[in-house]
Amino acid sequence: MIAFRDIFITGLLLGGIFALVSVGLTLQYGVARVLNVAHGEFIMVGAFMTFWLLGSANLNPLLSVAITGPVAFIMGFILHKTLFRRLMDTSPSLDIFEGKSLLASFGLLYVVQNLARIIWGSDVEGYNFLNSTVTAAQIPLNRLVALAFVVVLGGAFYFFLARTRLGKAIRASAQSPTTAELMGVDIRNVLAICFGLGLGLAAIAGSLLSTLFAIQTSIGLGYTVIAMVVVVMGGLGSITGAMIGGIILGLVSSTVTFFHPSLTMIAYYVIFIVLLLARPKGIMGK
Amino acid sequence: MLEINGLSASYGNVQVLWDVCLRVDEGEFVALVGANGAGKTTLLNAVSGVMKPGSGSVTFMGHRIDGSAPNAIVNLGLSHIPESRQVFTEMSVRENLEMGAYPSRAWKSRRETMKKVFGLFPRLEERAGQLARSLSGGEQQMLALGRGLMSLPKMCMIDEPSNGLAPLIVTEIFEILKSLHKEGITILLVEQNVRQTLAIADRAYVLENGHNALDGACCDLAESEHVRKAYLGH
Ligand SMILES: Nc1ncnc2c1ncn2[C@@H]1O[C@H](COP(=O)(O)OP(=O)(O)OP(=O)(O)O)[C@@H](O)[C@H]1O
Ligand SMILES: [Mg+2]
C-alpha cells in the first residue's frame, strides 16, 4: 500500500513537471509554430541555474523559479524577436517556416548545450533538498513540497490562459493567428511571448527536477523527446491535452520505474502508440 | 472615409487585383459584388492588413493604412468581419465577443458593448457560455458580426455574411445590417447575393477578374443590362 501511494505521489509530481514542459512546447509549436528541439536544453539550464543559485547565494531551490523562469522567458522573447521573427518574415509559407525553424532550433540545441558544458562542465551534479521523510511514510518531504508547488503553478498558469486578456489572445492566436490579428491582437508580440513562456516553463520544470534528481548538462534531449510524445499524445496544439498527457506519462514513468527502471522509455512509447491507435488525433484532438 | 486607389495585389507570382479603386464615404452603405474568384476577399484582406498590397494606396479617415499591421488598422476603427465567419470554435460565445473588444479603447467598455450586442442578437446571450463550435451556421455568423462590433468600429467591412445560410436567416442578417447602418456605422458589404444586396445598399462596385468593371447607385446598377445578365439571371 505504502509503495503504491509513493508511486502515485511521485507519478503525480513527475506528471505535473512533464505537464509544465509539454505545455511550454505546445505554446511554442501550437502557437508560435516552432518545433523547438532545444526545449529540453532550457530545462537543463533551469536546473543548473537553480543548482548554481543554491551554491553561490544559498537560494532556496523552489524560490529560485522566480529567477529561472523570468530569465528563460526573456531569453525566449529575445530569441523569437530576433531569430525566429526573421525566419518567419523571409518564409513564403508557414510550412517553409516550420522547416527552417526546426533547423534553427537544432542549432540552438548545440549552442546552448555546449555553452552549458563550458560553464558547468559535464559531470553529474546534485544536492540535497528537504530529504527528511514524512513520519512513517517513506515519501521524502521534497516530493510533497514540490508537488504542492507544481499544482499551484499549473493552476496559476491555467488561470492566466483561461481568464486574462493576454491568455485569451494566446488561445485565440493558437486557433487562428489571422483572425486574432483582425481582433486587434499584435501577433508579433504574442508569438514572442508564447515562445518566451515556453522556455520559462521549461526552466521552471528544470528547477523543480533538480530538487529530485541528479543533473547533468546532457539531460535536455531526453526531456525534449518526452515533451514531444506528450504533445502528440495530448493532441497537437491542445494545452489541456498536454496537461493530461503529461500527468499520464508521469504516472506511467513512476510505476514502471518502480518495477523495472530500464523499461521506462519503452513504456512511454507503448502508451504513446496505444493511445494514438485508440485516438489518432490525441486525447483532446478533434 | 475609406479610399482605395490603384490597388494591386498578388499571391506569389499570380496577380489577382489590378489597379482597383473604391471609395466609401462616411455613413454610406456600399456593396462590392462579383463572381467567385473575382478578388473581393483579397481586396478586403489588403485593406485590413492581413495581406500586403503590391502597389496603390489605402486611406482610412485621413491615415495611410496600406502596409500597416491589422491591429493598428482595427485600432483606427475599421473592423473586418472575415469570410466564412472564422469564430474561435474552442472558445465560448462570450470569450469570442471579448476577443472582439481586444483593442485597449474597446476593452474598457466591453461589458456595456456586449449588452448592446446581446440586444441585437438575443440568441447569442442565450448561448453565451457555449463553445462557438456548437452554434449553428447562422448563429456563428451572428457571432462573427457581434464580435466585429465589439471593437466599436466606425466602419465595418463584411465578407459574404449570407454564404451557406438558409433564405430566412439571410433575410434576418440583412435586416441586422440595415439596422447597423441606421445606427451610423459605415458599411462595405461583399456579397454574392446580388439581388438582396442591391436592394439595401446605396452604391455598389462590380469587380471582375480583379478589375473594376462597373460602379454606381444600386438602383441604376440593378437596371443595367450587364448586371442583369451576369448577376441577376434575367
Ligand atoms: N491564399 C491564396 N493563395 C493563392 N491564390 C489565392 C489565395 N486566395 C485566393 N487566391 C486566388 O485569388 C483569386 C481571388 O480570390 P478571392 O478569394 O479574393 O476571390 P473572391 O472574390 O473573394 O471569391 P469568392 O466569392 O469565391 O469568395 C482567385 O483566383 C483565387 O484562386
Ligand atoms: Mg471571397
Side-chain angles (χ1 to χ4, degrees):
Chain A
M1 267 327 280
I2 286 179
F4 266 126
R5 193 202 49 198
D6 287 5
I7 290 171
F8 188 66
I9 288 177
T10 306
L12 273 187
L13 173 56
L14 262 185
I17 294 175
F18 288 172
L20 293 182
V21 174
S22 310
V23 169
L25 191 66
T26 298
L27 289 172
Q28 294 173 17
Y29 185 62
V31 190
R33 292 292 166 159
V34 179
L35 186 52
N36 182 22
V37 289
H39 193 55
E41 304 313 315
F42 290 86
I43 297 177
M44 176 268 290
V45 169
F48 272 91
M49 277 170 60
T50 294
F51 176 67
W52 175 76
L53 285 167
L54 177 69
S56 64
N58 203 21
L59 184 66
N60 181 311
L62 290 180
L63 296 184
S64 78
V65 302
I67 293 176
T68 61
V71 167
F73 172 84
I74 292 167
M75 287 197 264
F77 188 84
I78 293 172
L79 265 172
H80 193 275
K81 282 278 181 182
T82 53
L83 176 65
F84 293 106
R85 166 52 52 192
R86 187 156 304 178
L87 290 179
M88 207 165 210
D89 287 343
T90 55
S91 300
S93 77
L94 216 51
D95 292 338
I96 294 175
F97 170 70
E98 282 190 19
K100 283 189 188 170
S101 65
L102 178 65
L103 288 178
S105 74
F106 265 112
L108 191 60
L109 184 160
Y110 290 116
V111 172
V112 174
Q113 201 180 92
N114 285 302
L115 280 179
R117 207 169 284 159
I118 292 170
I119 301 171
W120 291 304
S122 22
D123 296 339
V124 177
E125 308 278 6
Y127 56 87
N128 281 326
F129 173 66
L130 297 177
N131 265 339
S132 50
T133 52
V134 183
T135 59
Q138 290 302 304
I139 321 157
L141 189 58
N142 66 347
R143 304 225 156 166
L144 283 180
V145 176
L147 178 59
F149 213 75
V150 167
V151 170
V152 170
L153 261 174
F157 197 72
Y158 197 86
F159 179 84
F160 161 72
L161 287 176
R163 291 295 166 82
T164 66
R165 177 165 173 244
L166 180 59
K168 286 173 192 172
I170 288 174
R171 281 157 57 220
S173 304
Q175 287 175 48
S176 170
T178 307
T179 314
E181 270 191 295
L182 285 182
M183 303 295 113
V185 173
D186 181 348
I187 197 79
R188 293 176 162 248
N189 258 333
V190 165
L191 296 189
I193 287 170
C194 284
F195 198 79
L197 283 175
L199 293 194
L201 287 174
I204 288 174
S207 300
L208 294 174
L209 280 167
S210 76
T211 66
L212 302 174
F213 305 120
I215 57 176
Q216 212 174 347
T217 43
S218 60
I219 57 172
L221 195 57
Y223 287 112
T224 302
V225 172
I226 292 176
M228 288 187 177
V229 166
V230 171
V231 166
V232 175
M233 215 164 85
L236 272 185
S238 163
I239 287 162
T240 322
M243 286 191 169
I244 298 173
I247 291 166
I248 293 179
L249 218 59
L251 288 169
V252 169
S253 167
S254 69
T255 311
V256 176
T257 306
F258 178 80
F259 293 107
H260 211 309
S262 60
L263 292 181
T264 313
M265 261 336 234
I266 297 176
Y268 290 164
Y269 287 105
V270 171
I271 292 287
F272 177 63
I273 290 165
V274 167
L275 248 166
L276 282 194
L277 285 177
R279 286 190 66 93
K281 294 203 162 169
I283 300 168
M284 300 299 285
K286 268 139 252 129
Chain B
M1 179 166 245
L2 178 72
E3 191 153 346
I4 302 170
N5 260 317
L7 193 86
S8 307
S10 324
Y11 294 101
N13 293 326
V14 186
Q15 187 165 353
V16 296
L17 290 181
W18 315 72
D19 255 344
V20 175
C21 298
L22 187 150
R23 207 190 71 242
V24 183
D25 291 330
E26 184 155 8
E28 266 195 310
F29 191 136
V30 173
L32 174 63
V33 298
N36 287 108
K40 308 178 295 293
T41 300
T42 306
L43 182 62
L44 296 198
N45 284 342
V47 171
S48 65
V50 169
M51 177 181 181
K52 297 255 170 294
S55 60
S57 71
V58 184
T59 313
F60 179 67
M61 305 208 342
H63 302 267
R64 272 292 285 268
I65 56 168
D66 44 289
S68 299
N71 61 309
I73 293 172
V74 69
N75 265 327
L76 291 175
L78 178 57
S79 175
H80 176 183
I81 297 163
E83 188 170 31
S84 56
R85 334 200 201 294
Q86 306 291 350
V87 296
F88 299 112
T89 49
E90 305 310 307
M91 296 171 98
S92 70
V93 168
R94 179 174 281 112
E95 285 179 324
N96 268 273
L97 293 175
E98 282 173 344
M99 278 312 296
Y102 194 80
S104 321
R105 69 182 162 75
W107 185 256
K108 288 178 217 102
S109 52
R110 66 189 184 284
R111 294 208 171 78
E112 294 88 84
T113 318
M114 202 181 295
K115 266 191 208 123
K116 282 190 205 142
V117 168
F118 282 154
L120 217 49
F121 303 103
R123 254 187 285 176
L124 293 184
E125 184 162 27
E126 289 161 26
R127 290 165 172 68
Q130 266 173 245
L131 285 187
R133 173 158 52 112
S134 69
L135 299 184
S136 72
E139 289 163 352
Q140 288 194 7
Q141 186 59 61
M142 290 176 191
L143 179 55
L145 285 169
R147 188 182 62 177
L149 295 172
M150 290 294 294
S151 63
L152 304 172
K154 301 188 179 70
M155 174 172 172
C156 285
M157 302 192 293
I158 312 170
D159 200 343
E160 296 205 39
S162 76
N163 194 12
L165 301 180
L168 218 60
I169 297 173
V170 173
T171 307
E172 194 177 332
I173 298 243
F174 274 70
E175 285 304 317
I176 287 162
L177 296 183
K178 253 198 254 175
S179 67
L180 290 180
H181 180 233
K182 272 213 195 82
E183 280 177 33
I185 295 178
T186 305
I187 292 181
L188 175 61
L189 173 66
V190 166
E191 260 301 334
Q192 298 243 18
N193 198 328
V194 179
R195 190 186 314 274
Q196 261 170 305
T197 304
L198 292 183
I200 61 167
D202 306 320
R203 286 192 304 121
Y205 288 79
V206 181
L207 202 60
E208 287 179 356
N209 298 319
H211 297 268
N212 280 106
L214 282 172
D215 60 272
C218 285
C219 48
D220 297 339
L221 283 179
E223 295 300 313
S224 119
E225 184 73 20
H226 178 73
V227 170
R228 279 171 44 195
K229 280 223 174 79
Y231 300 101
L232 298 171
H234 62 88

